[in-house]
Amino acid sequence: MTDDGYALRVAREQNFYTGERPANSLPPIFSYWAARYVAPHLHEIFGTTEVEQFFANEIVRTSGKSQNVSVLSLGSGEASTEIDICKRIAALGKTATFYCTDISRGMNEAAERNSEAAGVSDNFNFIECDINTDFPDCPAEVVIANHSLHHFVELEQIFASVKKQIGRDGAFIVNDMIGRNGHMRWPEVLEFTKALWNLLPPEKRVDRMNGIEHNEFIDWDCADGTFEGIRAQDIMPLLVEIFEFERFFGFGGIADTFVDRMYGHNFSPDSPWDCGFIDVAELTNSALLKNGELKPTAMFATMRLAKFEDEKFWPLSAKEAVRVP
Ligand SMILES: C[S@@+](CC[C@H](N)C(=O)[O-])C[C@H]1O[C@@H](n2cnc3c(N)ncnc32)[C@H](O)[C@@H]1O
């Protein structure tokens, strides 16, 4: 990537992430799919069906006897996730100090306002930085990333810094996208996606982000000129080289297209046909994930430099979940 190409992507990222919570724009059918197919396995591995509680549980579990735990969050956005996690850690009997980082001034300013409104600003530090070049200097022993790794370019450098940061006793706790670059489909997933797409009536083929109806399925490269999924496919191969996975839950693939922002708003959780369609997509995906024919496009994981507890995973171990390009 040229310097100009990088600078343009940074400008686009900062213009796109101006203070809104990204999860707010997900369609209702995403919640149907997540509640039915993601939540049960999240509970099995991490003891909760909620993303914020997953982070709180894992931070508390991996911080041992420390009463106050320091947490560095990479690409924390407007930090409503971290604020919620902070309160949940308090409910679990510990206190937390957060170091939140983001490249976007709008996100950092919103984060600061949000922490004040929630009455937890004393627990928070906000750092405006580019994680690709300026990994912050802070005393955190736990590092978290919620849907941000797939925006980063210098993964080798970042993961080496995380390794140094967490040391022997800390943890790296992640919820992120790990599929093909640009969130494109691997050929083996594209085949199923197209077969399902061909069953859809025209009104369900409308790209709701751009207001255009598509006849043929277009496998968009979301990283074209942006950081969206820029090196998503490199995340797992690099992580398994550096870290031990104590907990791993991999999911996603065929259903992604139909529950995400572009086409997901064409489906309703109140429609039996729509839910049936999503069920077929997901049940096919789960069966193929279990026997290793497909690899997951998303994960929840807790990584350490050494395993302190027995590994727990579903449906594949982290090493088995790597998709070699
Ligand atoms: C998909 S959003 C996730 C935000 C937040 N973690 C959440 O879950 O709501 C990705 C975030 O990463 C930030 N980001 C992207 N590239 C970055 C970089 N190089 N350094 C720091 N933050 C970055 C973006 O500004 C954006 O807020």
Side-chain angles (χ1 to χ4, degrees):
M1 197 186 299
T2 61
D3 286 354
D4 282 356
Y6 186 78
L8 193 64
R9 280 180 160 93
V10 169
R12 285 197 180 130
E13 190 84 356
Q14 290 166 331
N15 283 336
F16 188 78
Y17 291 106
T18 55
E20 287 301 309
R21 186 177 199 198
N24 286 353
S25 55
L26 285 167
I29 199 71
F30 181 91
S31 304
Y32 166 81
W33 168 76
R36 188 146 196 200
Y37 297 108
V38 179
H41 298 297
L42 189 65
H43 191 269
E44 209 173 293
I45 307 288
F46 296 101
T48 177
T49 58
E50 296 170 305
V51 173
E52 290 81 3
Q53 194 66 39
F54 147 75
F55 279 110
N57 286 357
E58 290 301 281
I59 290 169
V60 167
R61 183 179 72 79
T62 56
S63 59
K65 292 199 173 79
S66 315
Q67 186 51 35
N68 184 287
V69 48
S70 294
V71 182
L72 166 62
S73 174
L74 308 179
S76 44
E78 41 68 75
S80 46
T81 303
E82 288 73 5
I83 291 166
D84 195 336
I85 297 167
C86 181
K87 292 179 179 170
R88 289 169 191 255
I89 290 174
L92 292 171
K94 291 198 180 191
T95 53
T97 304
F98 279 84
Y99 297 85
C100 291
T101 59
D102 207 278
I103 199 170
S104 151
R105 176 151 307 165
M107 285 310 226
N108 275 312
E109 287 174 354
E112 218 158 327
R113 285 195 301 275
N114 290 342
S115 72
E116 276 160 24
V120 292
S121 56
D122 287 351
N123 301 63
F124 277 82
N125 303 276
F126 297 104
I127 305 160
E128 189 181 319
C129 66
D130 180 349
I131 286 292
N132 289 317
T133 50
D134 302 311
F135 199 87
D137 185 11
C138 71
E141 66 266 31
V142 173
V143 179
I144 65 171
N146 190 42
H147 277 254
S148 54
L149 299 183
H150 68 268
H151 286 248
F152 299 159
V153 179
E154 302 296 341
L155 293 174
E156 290 81 354
Q157 236 168 273
I158 294 166
F159 293 159
S161 301
V162 172
K163 178 181 176 183
K164 224 161 112 192
Q165 184 78 42
I166 66 174
R168 189 185 165 276
D169 297 326
F172 187 24
I173 305 169
V174 171
N175 167 26
D176 226 306
M177 307 292 296
I178 52 167
R180 194 176 184 185
N181 284 353
H183 304 316
M184 292 179 75
R185 273 126 287 264
W186 293 110
E188 61 274 21
V189 173
L190 187 58
E191 204 182 312
F192 286 99
T193 306
K194 282 185 173 168
L196 287 164
W197 174 267
N198 290 337
L199 299 174
L200 293 177
E203 66 272 16
K204 296 211 186 293
R205 297 179 182 184
V206 178
D207 160 2
R208 296 283 286 270
M209 289 173 80
N210 301 297
I212 307 165
E213 185 185 310
H214 298 293
N215 190 24
E216 300 289 311
F217 175 72
I218 300 171
D219 196 18
W220 294 106
D221 178 359
C222 299
D224 185 10
T226 79
F227 287 126
E228 190 57 61
I230 184 101
R231 290 192 64 200
Q233 71 194 42
D234 297 330
I235 293 173
M236 285 305 290
L238 290 169
L239 288 176
V240 297
E241 285 300 312
I242 303 173
F243 300 99
E244 294 287 339
F245 280 70
E246 219 170 49
R247 305 271 187 274
F248 178 79
F249 166 35
F251 59 101
I254 300 171
D256 299 4
T257 301
F258 308 104
V259 299
D260 210 348
R261 294 172 176 87
M262 195 171 267
Y263 300 108
H265 288 285
N266 300 322
F267 295 82
S268 164
D270 299 327
S271 156
W273 193 93
D274 291 1
C275 293
F277 181 89
I278 299 301
D279 293 344
V280 169
E282 182 52 46
L283 294 171
T284 308
N285 198 72
S286 306
L288 295 168
L289 276 185
K290 265 188 227 161
N291 67 17
E293 280 183 56
L294 300 186
K295 303 294 182 173
T297 57
M299 66 142 170
F300 288 88
T302 300
M303 292 159 269
R304 315 195 75 170
L305 294 190
K307 280 183 223 164
F308 292 88
E309 289 185 27
D310 285 345
E311 187 181 359
K312 277 193 194 175
F313 61 82
W314 196 93
L316 305 163
S317 70
K319 284 204 167 105
E320 290 166 334
V322 170
R323 169 61 165 83
V324 180

